[in-house]
Amino acid sequence: MADVEQNAAVPDGSSNESDAVNGTVGRFVSSAEGTALAYGSLLLMALLPIFFGALRSVGCSKNKVTDSCIYLIIITINASDMPETITSRDAARFPIIASCTLFGLYLFFKIFSQEYINLLLSMYFFVLGILALSHTMSPFMCRVFPANVPNKQYQLLFTQGSGESKEEIVNYEFDTKDLICLGISSVVGVWYVLKKHWIANNLFGLAFALNGVELLHLNNVSTGCILLGGLFVYDVFWVFGTNVMVTVAKSFEAPIKLVFPQDLLEKGLDASNFAMLGLGDIVIPGIFIALLLRFDVSLKKNTRTYFYTSFLAYIFGLGLTIFVMHTFKHAQPALLYLVPACIGFPVLLALFKGELTEMFSELLLT
């Protein structure tokens, strides 16, 4: 698996890095209310895919999941009827592969025209965004779909070879409800490609994040600690040690980050002074929080203690990130604050309850 995310929390989403601090000459200075609204909205948007993605991760292997592959830039999804399971070996390689890909993107933006790269990426994420948003909408569509409307079944099948050597390449089953979801998602996709509007960006970003939390499963807590620990070092190095992370995040015109305008109160929906949060800061802690929810379920005590503890720890960590970022007016590696909080609080709780050994020894493959 390979996962790359621009997961530095950046105070300003402009394309010019020198404008990252509000108050630069010639730029609009956001009001305190506008800044608070932007940061609060980012926090809320980060919590939604984690909470609902974790709940859906508990039973996603029992439900039909739309076949989709979101495998290169943001999150890895390879979901047919089973979620993708991350092993300790995957987790150990993850930061190395992410670093190579991140630096490769940085070189691409330095060597080639940013306009053409983003054009290709727009087409790529147009397809992936439609698939991700359709899957996100599917449970809601099942609830509101009129009972008196026929729900016809369809199948898209591609094979290669013939006879006994015939091999399935694509076997995608869908129904009328799925087609409606695809139609609505396609409208959002066209809106995003044509306008690059921040609302369309966020719809795709939230869908990517929710899919990632739901379908990417850590096999145990030890693997989660390896993954988060490695990305802790990765995040700190690429944000504080170089300008690579911030440069790529600001050059990359794709829904790999959630954005919210700090000047919304003054300029409305046409606002352009954005605060941003990378999807990696949502998906990476999110899959660990979802793991702890499945651990709660495995204990069969009818409680969600570890889930709620880690969820509150995430709120604390992200809130601290935003506070430090706003105070020092500099991009922050959010995992610097999120990893200690999301691991530390549940581990201390398990130590207090005498369940630490059970937490680290139990395999949670589904």
Side-chain angles (χ1 to χ4, degrees):
M1 59 174 296
D3 181 311
V4 176
E5 65 287 324
Q6 278 61 57
N7 55 352
V10 182
D12 189 315
S14 63
S15 59
N16 185 349
E17 187 176 345
S18 64
D19 289 342
V21 179
N22 290 336
T24 301
V25 176
R27 285 183 57 82
F28 175 82
V29 179
S30 302
S31 64
E33 294 82 2
T35 300
L37 177 62
Y39 290 153
S41 299
L42 285 179
L43 178 60
L44 177 61
M45 286 192 291
L47 296 178
L48 292 176
I50 292 177
F51 186 83
F52 291 105
L55 293 178
R56 289 171 61 161
S57 77
V58 174
C60 74
S61 62
K62 302 176 183 178
N63 301 323
K64 188 187 77 170
V65 179
T66 48
D67 292 338
S68 57
C69 289
I70 301 176
Y71 191 89
L72 178 60
I73 303 298
I74 311 172
I75 54 179
T76 303
I77 296 177
N78 183 10
S80 51
D81 292 323
M82 293 292 291
E84 180 78 9
T85 300
I86 302 172
T87 65
S88 57
R89 184 180 178 184
D90 294 326
R93 293 186 302 177
F94 197 99
I96 299 173
I97 297 174
S99 295
C100 293
T101 310
L102 177 66
F103 190 66
L105 287 171
Y106 176 78
L107 293 179
F108 263 97
F109 281 113
K110 290 294 184 182
I111 297 172
F112 300 103
S113 170
Q114 179 177 325
E115 179 182 354
Y116 293 119
I117 295 175
N118 282 318
L119 179 61
L120 291 174
L121 291 173
S122 294
M123 295 299 103
Y124 178 72
F125 282 99
F126 169 76
V127 176
L128 297 184
I130 289 174
L131 292 174
L133 190 57
S134 296
H135 175 236
T136 302
M137 294 172 54
S138 182
F140 174 75
M141 183 57 64
C142 291
R143 294 186 178 186
V144 301
F145 190 78
N148 58 345
V149 177
N151 185 33
K152 298 181 179 179
Q153 302 294 317
Y154 304 92
Q155 183 178 24
L156 183 63
L157 179 64
F158 286 97
T159 62
Q160 69 176 9
S162 59
E164 295 182 356
S165 62
K166 182 181 292 187
E167 181 182 358
E168 288 186 1
I169 304 300
V170 175
N171 187 358
Y172 179 46
E173 297 181 359
F174 56 100
D175 53 28
T176 304
K177 290 179 287 188
D178 294 324
L179 288 177
I180 295 175
C181 291
L182 283 171
I184 297 173
S185 301
S186 297
V187 173
V188 177
V190 172
W191 182 26
Y192 172 76
V193 169
L194 295 180
K195 300 295 185 180
K196 291 292 190 300
H197 198 277
W198 60 273
I199 294 180
N201 172 91
N202 287 347
L203 288 175
F204 275 172
L206 288 169
F208 284 137
L210 190 146
N211 276 281
V213 174
E214 175 187 356
L215 300 175
L216 284 174
H217 285 193
L218 296 162
N219 62 359
N220 58 39
V221 173
S222 297
T223 299
C225 291
I226 294 172
L227 177 66
L228 267 65
L231 288 175
F232 174 90
V233 176
Y234 158 86
D235 210 14
V236 172
F237 172 77
W238 288 113
V239 174
F240 284 152
T242 71
N243 69 337
V244 172
M245 180 79 77
V246 176
T247 300
V248 173
K250 291 183 176 182
S251 303
F252 212 77
E253 292 183 5
I256 59 166
K257 52 186 178 282
L258 299 180
V259 299
F260 199 90
Q262 301 181 61
D263 52 347
L264 178 68
L265 299 178
E266 292 80 12
K267 298 184 178 180
L269 296 180
D270 294 326
S272 58
N273 182 25
F274 294 103
M276 71 172 80
L277 178 68
L279 295 189
D281 296 326
I282 302 171
V283 175
I284 299 304
I287 60 178
F288 187 75
I289 294 171
L291 171 72
L292 293 176
L293 175 59
R294 296 194 299 277
F295 176 64
D296 277 324
V297 173
S298 72
L299 294 176
K300 298 179 181 179
K301 295 182 178 180
N302 199 28
T303 63
R304 299 294 183 264
T305 308
Y306 291 101
F307 170 65
Y308 289 124
T309 299
S310 58
F311 191 74
L312 292 174
Y314 180 86
I315 296 175
F316 170 77
L318 188 56
L320 182 59
T321 305
I322 292 173
F323 172 77
V324 174
M325 179 181 65
H326 182 70
T327 301
F328 293 98
K329 305 296 183 182
H330 189 277
Q332 294 296 312
L335 294 183
L336 172 64
Y337 310 95
L338 291 172
V339 169
C342 291
I343 293 179
F345 281 63
V347 167
L348 289 175
L349 177 63
L351 185 63
F352 176 76
K353 297 179 66 176
E355 297 173 339
L356 189 63
T357 302
E358 188 174 3
M359 170 184 278
F360 280 89
S361 62
E362 184 164 349
L363 287 176
L364 298 165
L365 298 178
T366 59

